[in-house]
Amino acid sequence: VIDNKSGASANFTISIAKIGSSSGTIAIKGNKFNARTPQAIVWFNGKTQWTYLKKTNEVNISTPTQAQQMAMNPYTFINIYKTGYKMNMKKSGNNYHLTAQNQKRSVAELYITINQKTYVPSQVKMRQGKTWSTIKVSNFKARSIPNSSFAFNAKEFPSAEVIDLR
């Protein structure tokens, strides 16, 4: 269900130690995503990321690292185990523990909780350095999402200042 080729959407809440939390919605399709919170909108087309900050009316363009992608898209882990992580199953049956084979990776450790009825992740907890982030996911729905949803459209934000950080 998660790797549905036509896409999916969900609600999420991300909590980062010492920073706080934010809630919003996310649309995903393969490695592409569009995340929306009250503070920002993020588009990622698989290579380029656009982050619109409502408070400053700015759009930052970047090429995010794997850790930055994971912080915004809780479904990045779907293929992460193929790229240098070991996976263990915990006794409870619905928790997976992934550890990076190279501990210098930006995300060194993850815990993923899978809903036993739907097989959809309900929580992802990840460690970057000594900081833990928790992403809770709800209302997951497989649905068709057009590719245009994953790229910034300047016509929708004509007065936004665009800052290219690549």
Side-chain angles (χ1 to χ4, degrees):
V1 173
I2 298 169
D3 58 359
N4 180 352
K5 302 276 186 263
S6 60
S9 64
N11 295 346
F12 72 90
T13 299
I14 183 166
S15 303
I16 303 172
K18 299 178 186 172
I19 295 175
S21 65
S22 185
S23 297
T25 59
I26 188 165
I28 59 170
K29 185 176 186 180
N31 67 340
K32 302 175 183 107
F33 71 90
N34 175 318
R36 294 172 180 264
T37 70
Q39 301 82 17
I41 303 171
V42 179
W43 299 265
F44 180 68
N45 67 3
K47 181 183 175 194
T48 303
Q49 179 172 298
W50 297 265
T51 305
Y52 174 69
L53 304 170
K54 293 178 183 178
K55 188 176 182 180
T56 58
N57 196 32
E58 293 176 346
V59 177
N60 293 312
I61 305 172
S62 63
T63 306
T65 65
Q66 185 179 52
Q68 291 166 330
Q69 289 177 47
M70 289 176 72
M72 289 303 303
N73 179 359
Y75 294 103
T76 309
F77 69 83
I78 293 166
N79 293 310
I80 197 171
Y81 70 91
K82 298 175 186 173
T83 61
Y85 285 82
K86 290 185 249 172
M87 185 165 71
N88 304 324
M89 185 98 155
K90 288 197 128 194
K91 289 181 183 175
S92 63
N94 63 345
N95 288 320
Y96 295 85
H97 181 209
L98 284 77
T99 53
Q101 291 165 339
N102 176 356
Q103 283 293 300
K104 292 182 180 172
R105 294 214 35 185
S106 51
V107 174
E109 188 174 12
L110 293 110
Y111 288 92
I112 302 164
T113 304
I114 306 290
N115 180 306
Q116 290 296 295
K117 292 179 184 171
T118 62
Y119 300 104
V120 170
S122 58
Q123 180 172 290
V124 178
K125 188 175 180 182
M126 63 182 168
R127 180 173 59 85
Q128 293 174 265
K130 294 180 180 177
T131 304
W132 283 94
S133 303
T134 302
I135 303 168
K136 293 183 181 178
V137 180
S138 62
N139 203 24
F140 183 92
K141 292 182 179 131
R143 63 185 188 93
S144 182
I145 300 173
N147 286 332
S148 60
S149 298
F150 306 106
F152 173 70
N153 182 348
K155 291 177 185 172
E156 292 179 36
F157 303 88
S159 65
E161 180 184 354
V162 177
I163 302 165
D164 196 331
L165 303 171
R166 292 174 288 183

